[in-house]
Amino acid sequence: MATPLPHAQPRWHRRPEDRPEEILSAAIGVFGEVGFARAKLEDVARRAGVSKGTLYLYFDSKESLFREMIRTRVVSHVQRIEALLEQSQGTARERLEQYIRRWWEVAQHPDMIGISRLVGSEIGNFPELARFFNDEVIARNRRLAKTIFDIGVARGEFRAMANDFPCWAVGSLVFHGAMRQRLFAPYDPNALTDDQFVDGIVDLIYRSVAIPAPADPSRGTPP
C-alpha cells in the first residue's frame, strides 16, 4: 500500500520570522505590476500567502511597507559597500572601480530594477516617501562617492570638480545603465555586454577626474 503524501503546509504556518521577508517580496511584485498608488495591502497579503490581519502585525500601511522594502533591499547594500570601502587600502582609482562594480551588482538585480522603475514613475507623487528615498539612498550614496573622490583629491590622484559633479553622475550612470541593460539590451543587436558597460563607466568617470600625468620632456614638444 502506497504511503499517503503529507498535506502541504500552508504558508501562514511558517515560522513568524519568515513572514516579513515573504511580505516584502510580495510587495515588490505587486507594486511593480500595478504601481504604488493602485496597490492594496490585501493584494500584497494574498500574494504573500498570509491574511491581511497577519500583514498588519508587521506593517501598518503601504508607506511603512515601502520604507522597509527600501531599507532591506537598498540601504542594506549601501551599508555593506560603506563597510567594504572603509577597509580598503587601495588607491582612489581602485576604490572608485570597486565602488562602481559593487553597485552594478546591486543595480542589475531584478528586485532593484523593479524598485528603480517604481521610484522613477510614482514616488514623486508621494513627497514623504520621495524624501525618505532621497535621504536614505541617493544622498547617502552620493556622500559615499564623495568620500572616494575626496581621498583622490587629497592624494593628488584626482582633480577637484565644480559642484562635486562626479558624485552625482556616477550613481545615475550605474543605475540607469543597469536598467537599460536589463530592459532593452535583449532587443538591441549592437548592445554592449555588462562587462563592457561597467568598464565604460569606470573609464569615463576616472578620465573625467584623473590628473593627467606630466609630459615627458625627453619626448620633445608635440608637433
Side-chain angles (χ1 to χ4, degrees), residues 2-25:
T3 303
L5 294 174
H7 292 292
Q9 186 180 39
R11 295 184 72 180
W12 50 86
H13 285 171
R14 294 178 182 174
R15 295 178 300 174
E17 58 266 30
D18 293 335
R19 292 173 187 158
E21 175 60 29
E22 293 172 352
I23 293 169
L24 291 171
S25 295

Side-chain angles (χ1 to χ4, degrees), residues 137-216:
V137 179
I138 297 175
R140 188 168 177 176
N141 189 40
R142 191 166 61 241
R143 288 194 298 271
L144 182 54
K146 180 170 169 44
T147 298
I148 297 171
F149 288 116
D150 285 348
I151 290 172
V153 171
R155 293 181 174 181
E157 296 180 54
F158 297 164
R159 59 190 178 91
M161 295 191 67
N163 305 314
D164 294 319
F165 185 75
C167 303
W168 299 76
V170 64
S172 294
L173 285 170
V174 169
F175 279 94
H176 287 90
M179 183 177 291
R180 189 232 171 262
Q181 287 294 94
R182 296 285 77 74
L183 299 180
F184 301 110
Y187 310 102
D188 183 350
N190 299 312
L192 300 177
T193 66
D194 281 359
D195 286 341
Q196 290 171 329
F197 213 106
V198 178
D199 288 345
I201 294 174
V202 172
D203 186 63
L204 181 66
I205 294 295
Y206 176 69
R207 287 177 181 273
S208 73
V209 298
I211 294 178
D216 185 353

Side-chain angles (χ1 to χ4, degrees), residues 34-223:
V34 303
F36 185 80
R38 294 177 57 197
K40 298 179 180 178
L41 287 180
E42 50 261 41
D43 296 332
V44 175
R46 187 179 304 112
R47 178 168 297 198
V50 301
S51 68
K52 188 176 178 181
T54 297
L55 186 149
Y56 271 107
L57 293 175
Y58 300 95
F59 306 102
D60 60 5
S61 65
K62 282 196 301 184
E63 289 74 14
S64 66
L65 184 53
F66 174 84
R67 288 187 176 90
E68 187 60 22
M69 181 177 72
I70 297 304
R71 289 189 186 101
T72 60
R73 296 301 198 276
V74 188
V75 177
S76 61
H77 292 293
V78 178
Q79 293 169 335
R80 282 193 283 272
I81 295 173
E82 285 173 341
L84 177 68
L85 291 174
E86 282 178 4
Q87 299 171 6
S88 176
Q89 301 298 316
T91 64
R93 188 195 190 288
E94 289 169 342
R95 295 178 194 225
L96 175 62
E97 181 167 357
Q98 191 175 34
Y99 166 79
I100 291 173
R101 293 190 183 282
R102 284 302 179 106
W103 263 121
W104 182 269
E105 293 173 3
V106 175
Q108 69 174 348
H109 190 279
D111 281 357
M112 188 63 70
I113 296 296
I115 290 172
S116 297
R117 294 172 68 183
L118 174 66
V119 169
S121 63
E122 282 199 83
I123 294 304
N125 298 322
F126 301 88
E128 288 303 315
L129 296 184
R131 190 173 296 110
F132 169 82
F133 189 87
N134 180 77
D135 293 346
E136 294 294 323
V137 179
I138 297 175
R140 188 168 177 176
N141 189 40
R142 191 166 61 241
R143 288 194 298 271
L144 182 54
K146 180 170 169 44
T147 298
I148 297 171
F149 288 116
D150 285 348
I151 290 172
V153 171
R155 293 181 174 181
E157 296 180 54
F158 297 164
R159 59 190 178 91
M161 295 191 67
N163 305 314
D164 294 319
F165 185 75
C167 303
W168 299 76
V170 64
S172 294
L173 285 170
V174 169
F175 279 94
H176 287 90
M179 183 177 291
R180 189 232 171 262
Q181 287 294 94
R182 296 285 77 74
L183 299 180
F184 301 110
Y187 310 102
D188 183 350
N190 299 312
L192 300 177
T193 66
D194 281 359
D195 286 341
Q196 290 171 329
F197 213 106
V198 178
D199 288 345
I201 294 174
V202 172
D203 186 63
L204 181 66
I205 294 295
Y206 176 69
R207 287 177 181 273
S208 73
V209 298
I211 294 178
D216 185 353
S218 65
R219 300 184 64 179
T221 303

